[in-house]
Amino acid sequence: MPEQPYDHRAIEPKWQSLWDGDPGLYHAPNDDARPKYYVVEMLPYPSGKLHMGHVRNYSIGDTLARYMWMRGFNVLHPMGWDAFGLPAENAALKSGRDPRDWTVSNIATMKGQLKRLGFSYDWSREISSCEPEYYRWNQWFFLRLYEKGLAYRRQSRVNWCPECATVLANEQVVNGCCWRHETTPVVQREIEQWFFKITEFADELVDGLDRLDTGWPERVRAMQANWIGRSDGAEVEFKHDETGEPIRVFTTRVDTIFGASCVILAPEHPLAAGMIRSEDGPRLKAMVDDQARKAPGEIEKDGFDTGHFAVNPYSGGKVPVWIANFVLATYGTGAIMAVPAHDERDFEFCTKYGLPIRAVVRPVEGTTPDPVVDVFTDYGVLEHSGSFTGLTSQVAREKMAKYAEFMGFGKAKITYRLRDWGVSRQRYWGTPIPMVHCVVCGVVPVPDSDLPVLLPNRVAITGTGRSPLENVAEFMNVKCPKCGADARRESDTMDTFVDSSWYFYRYADPRNSGAPFDPAIVRHWFPMNQYIGGITHAILHLLYSRFWTKFMRDMGLVDHDEPAANLFTQGMVLGTDGTAMSKSKGNVIDPDEMIDRYGADTCRLFTLFAAPPDKDMEWNESSVEGQHRFLGRAFRFVTRNIGAQREGVEENGRQAQRKLHQTIQKITADFDNRWHFNTSIAAMMELSNELTALEAGIPGELLPEILENFIKLLAPFAPYTAQELWVAAGGEGAVFRQPWPQFDEALAAQDEIQVPVQVNGKLRGRIAVSIGLPKDTLEQAARADEKIRPHLDGKQVVKVVVVPDKLVNFVVKS
RNA sequence: GCCCGGGUGGCGAAACUGGCAGACGCAGCGGACUUAAAAUCCGCUUCCCGGCAACGGGAGUGCGGGUUCAAGUCCCGCCCCGGGCACCA
C-alpha cells in the first residue's frame, strides 16, 4: 500500500460515530465472564467549556479504560454532570437566562467537546444532578438521614457581607472583609441551618484511611487525617467556687493540670456573658464580633479577668476565670485551662497578664528549665502534683483520666477538629430540602410519596442573599403533611456536594425510578476500582462521599465501607501565569484551537506525554509539534508497509520483533504499575524510530504481526489514528474489540548486550557479550578488553565485582 | 509550628529493586532534498580542558557529611520551592 499522508481532519470525524451511540464499547452488560473494572473521573461541571486541565484528566481515565477493556476486563466508564449552584446562578444573573437552560446548554457544549476528543464514555449512563429524579433521591437520602438523627437543624453563625447582602463561604472572606468589597467588614449572623452529622463517623473516617494505604495517595490520606484532627485527651470540670457551676475543659495534657494558672473561656462561651463585670460588657461584645474578622495567626492575644474563681478538681486550688479571644468556641468545650509552664501559647498569654507560672513536669534527664523563661512542652516526670508526683506524663495522663472518671468530675475524651457538615444554601439552584415548617407541629418531613420537591421554574434571581424561593408563593405555601394546617416550605436548598457524594453509585443504575439504585447492581460494580480526579477535592468531596458510603452501608444499601479502592489524583495544569487555571483569572487554555490544528489524538498524546500524570504541568505548547510529527511518522510507516512484499534480512526481522516485544512488555508494565504514560509514549516513539530504521530489511512475512501489534499498542493513546490504521490494515470493527498484545519473553530477550566495565567505580569501557555469561567468563572478557587493560597493567587488583549481565568493576591499588 | 510532596542539561523529562546519569521529546546548530519555502529525512547537542580529528582527561543530579567496589537512588545534618492544616488546648 502506498504511503498515505497523515491528515487528522480526514480521519477523526470519520470515527466519532464508532463510539458515539455505542454504549457497550467497553461495558458489555451481560458479559460476566470478564472480570469487572469500574473507572470514574470526577464530575465535570458545566460552567462553560472544557479546558486543558479537563482534557488531561479525562485523557488519563479514557486511556486507562481502553487499556483495561483490551486486557479483557468488563469496563464501566460512565459520564455525568454536576450542576454547580453558584456558577449557574451567577451566569443566570448576568444573562437573564434560567439556570436550568444555561446548565443544559453548557452540558451539550461540553459533551460535544468530549466526543470530539474521542472519549468513549458510556453515555447511556449520563446523569445530571439537576435532573428531577436526582433531586428525588437526594431528598430521599435526606429523609433517611433525618430519621436516624444524622440530619438536624440548629442556629449557626455565617459570614455575611452587608454590602452584597449575602452569605459568604469561609474562602470568600479575605482579611475579615468581603472578597468583592475589600473595605466592608464581614459580620456574623446567626441563622437556622441544616447539618449532617458527619462527626458521628469521625473515628471510622480516620481509621479507614489506614486501610486505604495501598490505593490512595499518602497526600490525600494525610490531608484528611489532618482535617478530621482527632486528638486524644481528657475532659475535666473546674467548678465555680461559689455556685458550683461546672466549667468543662478539654486538654491533651491533663498531666500538667497541677500547673494550671487560670481557666479561660471563649468569648462566645455560654457562661461568659453571665460572669463578666457589667463594665466589661462592651469589651466582650467587641471580642465576639472580632472573631469574624480574625486573620489566623495574626491576632494579638487579648483577654480579661471575670473576677470569678474556679476550683482545680485535682489540687483543690482556686484559679481565676478569664475570657480571651484566642480560645475557640467551636473546638473542644470552648474553655481551656492555661498551663504556662508547659504550653507556648498559654505562656505567652500568662506572661502578658502576669499570671503565675508553675512547673509541674520536669525532663526525665537533664536540667529543668526555668519556667519563667523557658517552656517545657515535652513529656517528662511529674512533680508538685500531689499523689501523681513521680509518674511519667504518659502514665499520668491515663491514671489521672481514670481518677477523674472515678471521682465523677471528668473522663478520657477524644476531640475532633472536624465539624458537622452544613448543607443549607440560601440559593435557588440546588435540591430543595424536603421539610415543611408548621406552626403547630414544627419541622415536619415531606412524606416519601410527595417526592421529589421540585424547584419552581423561572424564579427571579435577586442576588440579595436570601433564598429567592421565599418570594415564590406557590412553592412556599403548603399544607402541613401531619395536621393539614397552613405551613411553609423550607426554602434552603442543599449544598451541591450532596449531589457529588453519591453520583457514582447512580451511574451503575441511572434510570432506576424506584430506588437510588439497585443494591445488587451496585454490589456487582463496587467499590469502584479506580477514581480519578484533582487534588482540589482531597478533603471536601472525598470526605463527604466516604461518609455517604458508610451511612448507606449502615442502611444496608451497600456492602462495602469505602467507595473507591484506588484513588488517583492527577496533577493540575497550570495556566500561563503558573497558577491553576480558573475562569476568573482568565488564564484558561481551551483545547479547541489545538484540536483544530493538530487533531484530538495529538492533543491527548501531548497532555499525556508532557509529564507523569500525577505531576503538575506548566503550560507550554512547544512540544506539541513533536507529538504531531510522531503520529505522522507512525501513520506513514504503517500505511506504506501494509501488504508490503519484500525479502528482508533475517537479523533485521529479529531486531524488529525484539523491539516490538520489549515495547509490549514495557507499556503493559507501565499500565499495570504506575501509569507513567509519558514513558509509554516514549517507548512507542522508540519502537517507531527503530522500525523505520530497520524498515528495508524487515522480511515481508513478519510485517502483519508487527503492524497489527503496533496499532493495538497505539490504540489507548491515540484512538482515532489507531482505528484508521486498523481498518486500513484490513481489521474489522473497533480496534478496542481486539485483545491487548501479549509479549513473548523469548522474542523480547536480548541475545547480545553491552556490559559496562568500571575501574575503581569509574566507567572505562564496555564489552559486548552474549546474555547470561557466568561471572568468571565475564571477568575474563573485561580483563581482555583493550580499553581496560591499560588501567589494570602494573596495578594490583584488590577486588572484582561482577554482576552478571549488568556490570564489572575492578578495584585496583597502584 | 506540624504534616505531605518536590529540587537532575537551554526546556518538559527518563533512570521502577543502589549498577552505563540525561532515554524520549522540544528548542538550537549543521547537512540532504528543493529555483525557493513548507513538509520530510540524516547528523550533532550536560559542562570544562586537550586535540584538525577519531578520541582522551576531568567535573556533574540543591548544599555539607557518611555508608558502599559502586549513590540521583540508602543514612545523618542543612538550604530552597510547592501544597495542606494552624491560637485545635
Side-chain angles (χ1 to χ4, degrees):
Chain A
M1 190 169 159
E3 178 180 302
Q4 304 290 310
Y6 178 60
D7 178 5
H8 68 269
R9 287 189 188 85
I11 295 170
E12 296 186 352
K14 197 155 109 194
W15 298 112
Q16 265 172 27
S17 60
L18 187 66
W19 35 85
D20 187 15
D22 180 5
L25 181 60
Y26 298 146
H27 172 222
N30 300 318
D31 193 351
D32 285 339
R34 291 178 165 224
K36 67 189 168 57
Y37 196 86
Y38 183 27
V39 51
V40 177
E41 292 122 26
M42 281 181 200
L43 277 175
Y45 56 95
S47 66
K49 300 175 89 185
L50 229 52
H51 61 59
M52 290 307 302
H54 298 125
V55 174
R56 188 174 191 222
N57 179 197
Y58 307 139
S59 296
I60 293 164
D62 191 63
T63 301
L64 178 74
R66 285 170 201 262
Y67 167 76
M68 291 310 296
W69 172 265
M70 292 176 82
R71 274 303 295 277
F73 286 78
N74 197 17
V75 179
L76 185 57
H77 188 218
M79 173 54 87
W81 313 92
D82 204 352
F84 261 52
L86 201 54
E89 226 169 276
N90 286 345
L93 249 179
K94 264 193 222 153
S95 64
R97 296 171 72 186
D98 186 276
R100 192 185 309 265
D101 296 343
W102 182 88
T103 304
V104 166
S105 91
N106 281 339
I107 288 176
T109 305
M110 289 182 71
K111 198 171 159 182
Q113 283 182 300
L114 288 166
K115 281 187 175 163
R116 200 168 159 217
L117 278 154
F119 293 134
S120 36
Y121 292 103
D122 183 343
W123 296 107
S124 72
R125 285 161 195 275
E126 181 187 341
I127 57 168
S128 161
S129 61
C130 67
E131 282 171 25
E133 271 304 289
Y134 205 79
Y135 279 6
R136 178 201 296 273
W137 300 113
N138 273 342
Q139 291 165 348
W140 184 86
F141 276 123
F142 192 104
L143 294 172
R144 302 294 85 79
L145 284 156
Y146 182 74
E147 287 159 9
K148 295 253 189 303
L150 295 170
Y152 66 94
R153 192 166 181 255
R154 66 165 158 82
Q155 285 273 321
S156 156
R157 276 166 160 254
V158 293
N159 304 304
W160 180 270
C161 172
E163 195 70 33
C164 340
T166 189
V167 173
L168 299 176
N170 284 334
E171 305 81 70
Q172 294 168 332
V173 181
V174 181
N175 295 326
C177 294
C178 173
W179 63 304
R180 278 184 296 219
H181 303 101
E182 287 168 25
T183 52
T184 309
V186 168
V187 298
Q188 300 283 294
R189 274 205 172 179
E190 292 269 342
I191 58 174
E192 291 267 323
Q193 303 242 73
W194 286 94
F195 289 85
F196 288 162
K197 221 181 216 171
I198 191 170
T199 52
E200 187 95 355
F201 294 86
D203 269 322
E204 218 197 320
L205 287 168
V206 183
D207 296 339
L209 292 172
D210 291 340
R211 289 191 295 276
L212 292 171
D213 59 351
T214 52
W216 282 44
E218 168 64 27
R219 180 159 60 141
V220 173
R221 290 185 294 120
M223 278 164 79
Q224 291 208 358
N226 214 333
W227 182 262
I228 296 165
R230 177 160 67 185
S231 83
D232 207 340
E235 192 178 293
V236 293
E237 287 173 4
F238 283 66
K239 286 198 171 68
H240 191 280
D241 66 333
E242 285 160 12
T243 65
E245 174 122 54
I247 301 171
R248 292 183 307 122
V249 156
F250 174 75
T251 176
T252 53
R253 290 298 302 274
V254 71
D255 56 305
T256 65
I257 199 167
F258 280 83
S261 300
C262 61
V263 165
I264 311 177
L265 308 180
E268 303 90 335
H269 193 281
L271 296 176
M275 269 194 190
I276 56 166
R277 301 181 179 99
S278 53
E279 68 267 26
D280 285 331
R283 200 170 173 183
L284 180 66
K285 189 176 179 306
M287 218 179 251
V288 170
D289 289 345
D290 203 40
Q291 298 291 302
R293 75 188 77 143
K294 180 158 81 171
E298 303 261 311
I299 210 158
E300 162 89 18
K301 284 183 183 46
D302 183 27
F304 59 90
D305 194 350
T306 61
H308 290 259
F309 288 89
V311 180
N312 185 325
Y314 289 90
S315 69
K318 281 208 288 188
V319 291
V321 179
W322 282 61
I323 290 171
N325 62 349
F326 70 90
V327 179
L328 301 174
T330 46
Y331 184 78
T333 60
I336 64 160
M337 63 174 193
V339 185
H342 305 296
D343 182 284
E344 297 276 1
R345 188 205 46 213
D346 295 346
F347 180 82
E348 195 193 320
F349 184 79
C350 293
T351 307
K352 177 173 175 182
Y353 292 103
L355 288 153
I357 299 172
R358 220 163 86 89
V360 292
V361 178
R362 61 171 170 78
V364 179
E365 284 166 2
T367 49
T368 307
D370 179 356
V372 183
V373 187
D374 261 334
V375 187
F376 178 68
T377 57
D378 293 344
Y379 283 160
V381 179
L382 273 65
E383 55 184 18
H384 312 303
S385 295
S387 57
F388 301 100
T389 298
L391 297 177
T392 62
S393 293
Q394 290 90 330
V395 173
R397 286 179 65 206
E398 249 171 71
K399 289 208 166 174
M400 290 172 81
K402 279 192 185 134
Y403 175 76
E405 188 159 12
F406 177 74
M407 298 297 284
F409 64 77
K411 57 177 190 273
K413 167 113 193 201
I414 292 167
T415 294
Y416 305 89
R417 205 194 74 96
L418 182 71
R419 318 272 162 74
D420 279 338
W421 171 15
V423 293
S424 280
R425 294 293 180 271
Q426 290 73 41
R427 297 208 186 102
Y428 164 57
W429 193 235
T431 307
I433 289 175
M435 291 286 165
V436 164
H437 299 278
C438 168
V439 247
V440 185
C441 314
V443 176
V444 182
V446 173
D448 283 6
S449 55
D450 290 353
L451 299 183
V453 177
L454 292 179
L455 290 172
N457 285 325
R458 316 285 157 198
V459 169
I461 310 293
T462 55
T464 61
R466 292 187 70 83
S467 169
L469 293 172
E470 289 183 359
N471 301 326
V472 183
E474 60 274 26
F475 177 80
M476 292 300 293
N477 298 329
V478 286
K479 299 291 179 200
C480 171
K482 222 181 201 170
C483 71
D486 285 348
R488 279 173 73 75
R489 253 189 219 296
E490 172 63 62
S491 63
D492 284 352
T493 51
M494 291 181 215
D495 184 0
T496 49
F497 276 113
V498 173
D499 302 310
S500 55
S501 290
W502 67 282
Y503 72 98
F504 40 83
Y505 286 97
R506 182 77 179 171
Y507 277 166
D509 189 14
R511 304 288 157 234
N512 196 321
S513 57
F517 50 78
D518 177 347
I521 296 177
V522 159
R523 252 200 307 283
H524 179 73
W525 288 106
F526 275 81
M528 68 173 121
N529 299 76
Q530 189 64 57
Y531 201 21
I532 301 171
I535 188 69
T536 34
H537 291 108
I539 295 170
L540 298 177
H541 165 55
L542 289 172
L543 196 64
Y544 295 150
S545 51
R546 292 181 62 218
F547 154 70
W548 207 273
T549 296
K550 290 170 195 307
F551 157 64
M552 292 199 300
R553 176 207 57 203
D554 289 354
M555 281 178 73
L557 270 180
V558 302
D559 62 352
H560 50 274
D561 299 320
E562 297 286 347
N566 297 291
L567 171 70
F568 186 88
T569 49
Q570 92 275 3
M572 282 184 297
V573 174
L574 304 178
T576 41
D577 58 351
T579 62
M581 284 198 279
S582 94
K583 254 189 146 183
S584 59
K585 279 190 229 146
N587 61 352
V588 172
I589 301 125
D590 89 62
D592 279 349
E593 199 193 325
M594 189 181 279
I595 298 173
D596 281 339
R597 194 136 157 224
Y598 299 104
D601 279 352
T602 299
C603 187
R604 296 171 54 146
L605 219 48
F606 165 72
T607 67
L608 295 175
F609 183 75
D614 52 344
K615 227 185 129 172
D616 284 352
M617 170 183 154
E618 262 180 65
W619 192 252
N620 180 359
E621 267 178 49
S622 61
S623 73
V624 70
E625 292 276 358
Q627 305 311 307
H628 194 65
R629 282 200 280 262
F630 160 64
L631 278 178
R633 271 199 303 274
F635 188 85
R636 291 189 302 272
F637 171 80
V638 174
T639 52
R640 72 175 172 259
N641 280 288
I642 290 171
Q645 303 292 321
R646 69 170 90 86
E647 277 292 313
V649 182
E650 200 190 328
E651 182 49 29
N652 281 31
R654 171 77 188 88
Q655 266 187 54
Q657 272 188 318
R658 182 189 304 132
K659 189 69 183 177
L660 172 70
H661 284 267
Q662 286 173 344
T663 307
I664 298 172
Q665 183 169 20
K666 156 88 180 139
I667 294 179
T668 305
D670 272 350
F671 267 114
D672 290 347
N673 300 324
R674 47 174 210 171
W675 301 8
H676 277 203
F677 299 135
N678 53 333
T679 59
S680 302
I681 294 166
M684 283 302 292
M685 290 172 169
E686 280 186 58
L687 174 60
S688 165
N689 292 345
E690 178 131 355
L691 290 177
T692 308
L694 297 168
E695 189 169 354
I698 302 174
E701 70 268 20
L702 289 180
L703 278 171
E705 186 218 332
I706 290 174
L707 297 183
E708 184 185 318
N709 284 322
F710 184 88
I711 294 166
K712 288 178 183 173
L713 287 173
L714 189 63
F717 305 102
Y720 286 116
T721 309
Q723 180 62 31
E724 176 77 8
L725 291 172
W726 175 248
V727 171
E732 303 228 329
V735 65
F736 317 109
R737 297 288 184 199
Q738 296 300 312
W740 183 251
Q742 298 286 309
F743 66 89
D744 180 330
E745 239 170 287
L747 288 175
Q750 204 80 34
D751 32 40
E752 187 176 78
I753 47 170
Q754 298 272 319
V755 171
V757 181
Q758 300 178 334
V759 177
N760 284 344
K762 281 190 199 290
L763 182 71
R764 295 299 179 187
R766 295 189 179 86
I767 48 173
V769 295
S770 52
I771 203 157
L773 281 190
K775 281 189 175 189
D776 50 346
T777 317
L778 202 55
E779 182 185 331
Q780 290 317 313
R783 278 181 190 274
D785 189 81
E786 57 189 32
K787 281 196 180 148
I788 301 306
R789 240 177 308 143
H791 290 281
L792 303 182
D793 277 351
K795 289 167 186 159
Q796 187 196 352
V797 176
V798 184
K799 186 176 179 183
V800 184
V801 180
V802 182
V803 184
D805 297 340
K806 285 274 180 179
L807 137 154
V808 180
N809 187 13
F810 294 99
V811 185
V812 301
K813 256 192 335 202
S814 46

